[in-house]
Coordinates of all heavy atoms in Angstrom, one line a residue:
M24 N 113.7 101.9 109.9 CA 112.6 102.6 110.5 C 111.9 103.3 109.3 O 112.5 103.9 108.5 CB 113.1 103.6 111.5 CG 111.9 104.4 112.0 SD 112.2 105.8 113.2 CE 113.8 105.7 113.8
T25 N 110.6 103.3 109.4 CA 109.8 104.0 108.4 C 109.0 105.1 109.1 O 108.4 104.9 110.1 CB 108.8 103.0 107.7 OG1 109.5 102.0 107.1 CG2 108.0 103.7 106.6
V26 N 109.1 106.3 108.5 CA 108.3 107.4 109.0 C 107.2 107.8 108.0 O 107.5 108.0 106.8 CB 109.2 108.6 109.3 CG1 108.4 109.8 109.7 CG2 110.3 108.3 110.3
T27 N 106.0 107.8 108.5 CA 104.9 108.1 107.6 C 104.4 109.5 108.0 O 104.1 109.8 109.1 CB 103.7 107.1 107.7 OG1 104.2 105.8 107.5 CG2 102.6 107.5 106.8
V28 N 104.3 110.4 107.0 CA 103.8 111.7 107.2 C 102.4 111.8 106.6 O 102.2 111.6 105.4 CB 104.7 112.8 106.6 CG1 104.1 114.2 106.8 CG2 106.1 112.7 107.2
N29 N 101.4 112.1 107.4 CA 100.0 112.2 106.9 C 99.7 113.7 106.6 O 100.1 114.6 107.3 CB 99.0 111.8 108.0 CG 99.1 110.3 108.3 OD1 99.4 109.5 107.4 ND2 99.0 110.0 109.6
Q30 N 99.0 113.8 105.4 CA 98.6 115.1 105.0 C 97.5 115.6 106.0 O 96.7 114.9 106.5 CB 98.0 115.1 103.6 CG 99.0 114.8 102.5 CD 99.9 115.9 102.3 OE1 99.6 117.1 102.5 NE2 101.1 115.6 101.8
K31 N 97.6 116.9 106.3 CA 96.5 117.5 107.2 C 95.2 117.5 106.4 O 95.2 117.8 105.2 CB 96.9 118.9 107.6 CG 98.0 118.9 108.7 CD 98.1 120.2 109.3 CE 99.1 120.1 110.5 NZ 99.1 121.3 111.3
V32 N 94.1 117.2 107.1 CA 92.8 117.2 106.5 C 92.2 118.6 106.7 O 92.3 119.2 107.8 CB 92.0 116.1 107.2 CG1 90.5 116.1 106.7 CG2 92.6 114.8 107.0
T33 N 91.4 119.0 105.7 CA 90.6 120.3 105.9 C 89.2 119.9 106.4 O 88.5 119.2 105.7 CB 90.6 121.0 104.6 OG1 91.9 121.3 104.1 CG2 89.8 122.3 104.7
P34 N 88.8 120.5 107.5 CA 87.5 120.3 108.0 C 86.5 120.9 107.0 O 86.7 121.9 106.5 CB 87.4 121.0 109.3 CG 88.8 121.3 109.7 CD 89.6 121.4 108.4
T35 N 85.4 120.2 106.8 CA 84.3 120.7 105.9 C 83.0 120.8 106.7 O 82.7 120.1 107.6 CB 84.1 119.7 104.7 OG1 83.8 118.4 105.2 CG2 85.3 119.6 103.8
F36 N 82.3 121.8 106.4 CA 81.0 122.2 107.1 C 79.9 122.5 106.0 O 80.3 123.0 105.0 CB 81.2 123.4 108.0 CG 82.1 123.1 109.1 CD1 83.5 123.3 109.0 CD2 81.7 122.6 110.3 CE1 84.4 123.0 110.0 CE2 82.5 122.3 111.4 CZ 83.9 122.5 111.2
T37 N 78.7 122.3 106.4 CA 77.6 122.8 105.6 C 77.5 124.3 105.9 O 77.4 124.7 107.1 CB 76.3 122.1 106.0 OG1 76.5 120.7 105.8 CG2 75.1 122.6 105.2
Q38 N 77.4 125.1 104.8 CA 77.4 126.6 105.0 C 76.1 127.0 105.7 O 75.0 126.5 105.3 CB 77.4 127.2 103.6 CG 77.3 128.7 103.6 CD 78.4 129.5 104.3 OE1 79.5 129.2 104.1 NE2 78.0 130.4 105.2
V39 N 76.2 127.8 106.7 CA 75.0 128.4 107.3 C 74.4 129.4 106.4 O 75.1 130.3 105.8 CB 75.4 129.1 108.7 CG1 74.2 129.8 109.3 CG2 76.0 128.1 109.6
A40 N 73.1 129.3 106.1 CA 72.4 130.2 105.2 C 72.3 131.6 105.9 O 72.4 131.7 107.1 CB 71.0 129.7 104.9
A41 N 72.2 132.6 105.0 CA 72.1 134.0 105.6 C 70.9 134.0 106.5 O 69.9 133.4 106.3 CB 71.8 135.0 104.4
I42 N 71.0 134.9 107.6 CA 70.0 135.0 108.6 C 69.5 136.5 108.6 O 70.2 137.4 108.1 CB 70.4 134.5 110.0 CG1 71.6 135.4 110.5 CG2 70.8 133.1 109.9 CD1 71.8 135.2 112.0
C43 N 68.4 136.7 109.3 CA 68.0 138.1 109.6 C 68.6 138.5 110.9 O 68.8 137.7 111.8 CB 66.4 138.1 109.7 SG 65.6 137.9 108.1
N44 N 68.8 139.8 111.0 CA 69.4 140.3 112.2 C 68.6 139.8 113.4 O 67.4 139.9 113.5 CB 69.3 141.9 112.1 CG 70.1 142.6 113.3 OD1 70.2 142.0 114.4 ND2 70.5 143.7 113.0
G45 N 69.3 139.3 114.4 CA 68.7 138.8 115.6 C 68.3 137.3 115.6 O 68.0 136.8 116.7
S46 N 68.3 136.7 114.4 CA 67.9 135.3 114.4 C 69.0 134.4 114.9 O 70.2 134.7 114.9 CB 67.6 134.9 112.9 OG 66.5 135.6 112.4
A47 N 68.6 133.2 115.4 CA 69.6 132.3 116.0 C 70.2 131.4 115.0 O 69.5 131.0 114.0 CB 68.9 131.5 117.1
F48 N 71.4 131.0 115.2 CA 72.1 130.0 114.4 C 73.2 129.4 115.3 O 73.6 129.9 116.3 CB 72.7 130.5 113.1 CG 73.9 131.4 113.3 CD1 75.2 130.9 113.2 CD2 73.7 132.8 113.5 CE1 76.3 131.7 113.3 CE2 74.8 133.6 113.7 CZ 76.1 133.0 113.6
T49 N 73.6 128.2 114.8 CA 74.7 127.5 115.6 C 75.8 127.1 114.6 O 75.5 126.9 113.4 CB 74.2 126.3 116.3 OG1 73.6 125.4 115.4 CG2 73.2 126.6 117.4
L50 N 77.0 126.9 115.1 CA 78.1 126.4 114.3 C 78.5 125.1 115.0 O 78.8 125.0 116.2 CB 79.3 127.4 114.4 CG 79.0 128.8 113.8 CD1 80.2 129.7 114.1 CD2 78.9 128.6 112.3
A51 N 78.5 124.0 114.2 CA 78.8 122.7 114.7 C 80.2 122.5 115.1 O 81.1 123.0 114.5 CB 78.5 121.7 113.6
N52 N 80.4 121.9 116.3 CA 81.8 121.7 116.8 C 82.4 120.4 116.2 O 83.6 120.1 116.6 CB 81.7 121.6 118.3 CG 81.5 123.0 118.9 OD1 81.9 124.0 118.4 ND2 80.9 123.0 120.1
T53 N 81.7 119.7 115.4 CA 82.3 118.6 114.6 C 82.0 118.8 113.2 O 80.8 119.0 112.8 CB 81.7 117.2 115.1 OG1 81.9 117.1 116.5 CG2 82.3 116.0 114.4
S54 N 83.0 118.7 112.3 CA 82.9 118.9 110.9 C 82.1 117.7 110.3 O 82.0 116.7 110.9 CB 84.2 119.1 110.2 OG 85.0 117.8 110.3
T55 N 81.7 117.9 109.0 CA 81.0 116.8 108.3 C 81.9 115.6 108.1 O 81.5 114.5 107.8 CB 80.4 117.3 107.0 OG1 81.4 117.9 106.2 CG2 79.3 118.3 107.3
N56 N 83.2 115.9 108.1 CA 84.2 114.8 108.0 C 84.8 114.3 109.3 O 85.9 113.8 109.4 CB 85.3 115.1 106.9 CG 86.0 116.4 107.1 OD1 85.6 117.2 107.9 ND2 87.1 116.5 106.5
G57 N 84.1 114.6 110.4 CA 84.4 114.0 111.7 C 85.5 114.7 112.5 O 86.0 114.1 113.5
I58 N 85.9 115.9 112.2 CA 86.9 116.6 113.0 C 86.3 117.5 114.0 O 85.4 118.3 113.7 CB 87.8 117.5 112.0 CG1 88.5 116.5 111.0 CG2 88.9 118.3 112.8 CD1 89.1 117.2 109.8
Q59 N 86.7 117.4 115.3 CA 86.2 118.2 116.4 C 87.1 119.4 116.6 O 88.3 119.4 116.4 CB 86.1 117.3 117.6 CG 85.1 116.2 117.5 CD 84.9 115.5 118.8 OE1 85.6 115.6 119.8 NE2 83.9 114.6 118.8
G60 N 86.4 120.5 117.1 CA 87.2 121.7 117.4 C 86.3 122.8 117.9 O 85.1 122.5 118.3
T61 N 86.8 124.0 117.8 CA 86.0 125.1 118.3 C 86.0 126.3 117.3 O 86.9 126.4 116.5 CB 86.6 125.6 119.7 OG1 88.0 126.0 119.5 CG2 86.5 124.6 120.8
W62 N 85.0 127.2 117.4 CA 84.9 128.3 116.6 C 85.2 129.6 117.3 O 84.9 129.7 118.5 CB 83.5 128.4 116.0 CG 83.1 127.4 115.1 CD1 82.4 126.2 115.3 CD2 83.3 127.4 113.6 NE1 82.2 125.5 114.2 CE2 82.7 126.3 113.1 CE3 83.9 128.3 112.8 CZ2 82.8 125.9 111.8 CZ3 83.9 128.0 111.4 CH2 83.4 126.9 110.9
S63 N 85.8 130.6 116.6 CA 86.0 131.9 117.2 C 85.8 132.9 116.1 O 86.0 132.6 114.9 CB 87.3 132.0 117.9 OG 88.4 131.9 116.9
P64 N 85.4 134.1 116.4 CA 84.9 134.6 117.7 C 83.6 134.0 118.1 O 83.0 133.1 117.4 CB 84.8 136.1 117.5 CG 84.4 136.2 116.0 CD 85.2 135.1 115.3
A65 N 83.0 134.4 119.2 CA 81.7 134.0 119.6 C 80.6 134.4 118.6 O 80.8 135.3 117.8 CB 81.3 134.6 121.0
V66 N 79.6 133.6 118.5 CA 78.5 133.8 117.5 C 77.9 135.2 117.7 O 77.7 135.6 118.8 CB 77.4 132.7 117.7 CG1 76.2 133.1 116.9 CG2 77.9 131.4 117.3
N67 N 77.8 135.9 116.6 CA 77.2 137.3 116.6 C 76.1 137.3 115.6 O 76.3 137.1 114.4 CB 78.3 138.3 116.1 CG 77.8 139.7 116.1 OD1 76.6 139.9 116.2 ND2 78.7 140.6 115.8
N68 N 74.9 137.4 116.1 CA 73.7 137.4 115.2 C 73.2 138.8 114.8 O 72.1 138.9 114.3 CB 72.6 136.5 115.8 CG 72.0 137.2 117.1 OD1 72.5 138.2 117.6 ND2 70.9 136.6 117.6
T69 N 74.1 139.8 114.9 CA 73.7 141.1 114.5 C 74.6 141.7 113.4 O 74.3 142.8 113.0 CB 73.8 142.1 115.8 OG1 75.1 142.1 116.3 CG2 72.8 141.6 116.9
A70 N 75.6 141.0 113.0 CA 76.5 141.5 112.0 C 77.1 140.3 111.2 O 77.4 139.3 111.8 CB 77.6 142.3 112.6
T71 N 77.4 140.5 109.9 CA 78.0 139.5 109.1 C 79.4 139.3 109.7 O 80.1 140.3 110.0 CB 78.1 140.0 107.7 OG1 76.8 140.1 107.1 CG2 79.0 139.0 106.8
T72 N 79.8 138.0 110.0 CA 81.0 137.7 110.6 C 81.7 136.5 110.0 O 81.0 135.6 109.6 CB 80.8 137.4 112.1 OG1 80.0 138.5 112.7 CG2 82.0 137.2 112.9
T73 N 83.0 136.5 109.9 CA 83.8 135.4 109.5 C 84.3 134.7 110.7 O 85.0 135.3 111.6 CB 84.9 135.8 108.6 OG1 84.4 136.4 107.4 CG2 85.8 134.6 108.1
Y74 N 84.0 133.4 110.8 CA 84.4 132.6 112.0 C 85.5 131.6 111.6 O 85.6 131.2 110.4 CB 83.2 131.7 112.5 CG 82.0 132.6 112.9 CD1 81.0 133.0 112.0 CD2 82.0 133.1 114.2 CE1 80.0 133.8 112.4 CE2 81.0 134.0 114.6 CZ 80.0 134.3 113.7 OH 78.9 135.1 114.1
T75 N 86.4 131.4 112.5 CA 87.5 130.4 112.3 C 87.3 129.2 113.1 O 87.2 129.3 114.3 CB 88.9 131.1 112.6 OG1 89.0 132.3 111.7 CG2 90.0 130.2 112.3
F76 N 87.4 128.0 112.5 CA 87.3 126.8 113.2 C 88.8 126.3 113.5 O 89.6 126.2 112.6 CB 86.6 125.7 112.3 CG 86.5 124.4 112.9 CD1 85.6 124.1 113.9 CD2 87.4 123.4 112.6 CE1 85.4 122.8 114.5 CE2 87.3 122.1 113.1 CZ 86.3 121.8 114.1
T77 N 89.1 126.0 114.7 CA 90.4 125.5 115.1 C 90.2 124.1 115.6 O 89.5 123.8 116.6 CB 91.0 126.3 116.3 OG1 91.0 127.7 115.9 CG2 92.3 125.8 116.7
P78 N 90.8 123.1 114.8 CA 90.6 121.7 115.2 C 91.3 121.4 116.6 O 92.2 122.1 117.0 CB 91.4 121.0 114.1 CG 91.5 121.9 113.0 CD 91.6 123.3 113.6
A79 N 90.8 120.4 117.2 CA 91.3 119.9 118.5 C 92.8 119.6 118.3 O 93.2 119.1 117.2 CB 90.6 118.7 119.0
S80 N 93.6 119.7 119.3 CA 95.1 119.5 119.2 C 95.5 118.2 118.7 O 96.5 118.0 118.0 CB 95.8 119.9 120.5 OG 95.3 119.0 121.5
E81 N 94.7 117.1 119.0 CA 95.0 115.8 118.6 C 94.6 115.5 117.1 O 95.0 114.4 116.6 CB 94.4 114.7 119.5 CG 92.9 114.7 119.5 CD 92.2 115.7 120.4 OE1 92.9 116.5 121.0 OE2 91.0 115.6 120.4
S82 N 94.0 116.4 116.5 CA 93.6 116.3 115.1 C 94.7 116.6 114.1 O 95.5 117.5 114.4 CB 92.4 117.2 114.7 OG 91.3 116.9 115.5
C83 N 94.8 115.9 113.1 CA 95.8 116.2 112.0 C 95.0 117.0 111.0 O 94.7 116.5 109.9 CB 96.4 114.9 111.5 SG 97.7 115.2 110.3
A84 N 94.6 118.2 111.3 CA 93.7 119.0 110.5 C 94.1 120.5 110.5 O 94.8 120.9 111.4 CB 92.3 118.9 111.0
T85 N 93.7 121.2 109.4 CA 94.0 122.6 109.3 C 92.8 123.4 109.8 O 91.7 122.8 110.1 CB 94.2 123.0 107.8 OG1 93.0 122.6 107.1 CG2 95.4 122.2 107.2
T86 N 92.9 124.7 109.9 CA 91.8 125.5 110.3 C 90.9 125.7 109.1 O 91.3 125.4 108.0 CB 92.3 126.9 110.8 OG1 93.0 127.5 109.7 CG2 93.2 126.8 112.0
A87 N 89.7 126.1 109.4 CA 88.7 126.4 108.3 C 88.0 127.7 108.7 O 88.0 128.1 109.9 CB 87.7 125.3 108.2
T88 N 87.4 128.4 107.7 CA 86.6 129.6 108.0 C 85.2 129.4 107.4 O 85.0 128.7 106.4 CB 87.3 130.8 107.5 OG1 87.4 130.7 106.0 CG2 88.6 131.1 108.1
M89 N 84.3 130.2 107.9 CA 83.0 130.3 107.4 C 82.4 131.7 107.7 O 82.5 132.2 108.8 CB 82.0 129.3 108.0 CG 80.6 129.4 107.4 SD 79.4 128.3 108.2 CE 80.1 126.7 108.1
T90 N 81.9 132.4 106.7 CA 81.3 133.7 106.8 C 79.8 133.5 106.9 O 79.2 132.8 106.0 CB 81.6 134.6 105.7 OG1 83.1 134.8 105.7 CG2 81.0 136.0 105.9
V91 N 79.2 134.0 108.0 CA 77.7 134.0 108.1 C 77.2 135.4 107.8 O 77.6 136.3 108.5 CB 77.3 133.5 109.5 CG1 75.8 133.5 109.6 CG2 77.8 132.0 109.7
V92 N 76.3 135.5 106.8 CA 75.8 136.8 106.5 C 74.5 137.1 107.3 O 73.6 136.2 107.4 CB 75.4 136.8 105.0 CG1 74.7 138.1 104.6 CG2 76.7 136.6 104.1
V93 N 74.5 138.3 107.9 CA 73.4 138.7 108.7 C 72.7 139.9 107.9 O 73.4 140.9 107.7 CB 73.8 139.2 110.1 CG1 72.6 139.7 110.9 CG2 74.4 138.0 110.8
N94 N 71.5 139.7 107.5 CA 70.8 140.8 106.8 C 69.9 141.6 107.7 O 69.4 141.1 108.7 CB 69.8 140.1 105.7 CG 70.6 139.4 104.6 OD1 71.6 139.9 104.1 ND2 70.2 138.2 104.3
P95 N 69.8 142.9 107.4 CA 68.9 143.7 108.3 C 67.5 143.3 108.1 O 67.1 142.8 107.1 CB 69.2 145.2 107.7 CG 69.7 145.0 106.4 CD 70.4 143.7 106.3
K96 N 66.7 143.6 109.1 CA 65.2 143.3 109.1 C 64.6 144.3 108.2 O 64.9 145.4 108.1 CB 64.6 143.3 110.4 CG 65.0 142.1 111.2 CD 64.3 142.0 112.5 CE 64.7 140.7 113.3 NZ 63.9 140.6 114.5

């Protein structure tokens, strides 16, 4: 019997550019390398926030983070 262990893949995303307080932005639920998952916490367009991407359970992937900077008007 042969057992193959795959390395976990790190999801990659295009960095969201800094926004002005109150401006809209979205975080993609699929990474640029095809990994699906969800972000937490909920999008906050009034304060700089670090978001954590959690891959879907069937993915062989690690979590990823992204900080979105919110500048005052």
Side-chain angles (χ1 to χ4, degrees):
M24 176 185 346
T25 302
V26 176
T27 302
V28 177
N29 295 321
Q30 294 287 333
K31 286 192 172 189
V32 177
T33 300
T35 56
F36 294 90
T37 301
Q38 176 65 47
V39 173
I42 65 166
C43 289
N44 187 333
S46 296
F48 71 94
T49 58
L50 296 169
N52 287 330
T53 302
S54 68
T55 57
N56 54 342
I58 299 166
Q59 294 184 351
T61 57
W62 289 95
S63 62
V66 169
N67 179 356
N68 66 352
T69 62
T71 296
T72 305
T73 298
Y74 300 94
T75 301
F76 179 80
T77 303
S80 59
E81 65 275 2
S82 299
C83 187
T85 61
T86 59
T88 61
M89 181 186 305
T90 299
V91 177
V92 175
V93 177
N94 294 314
K96 287 188 178 181

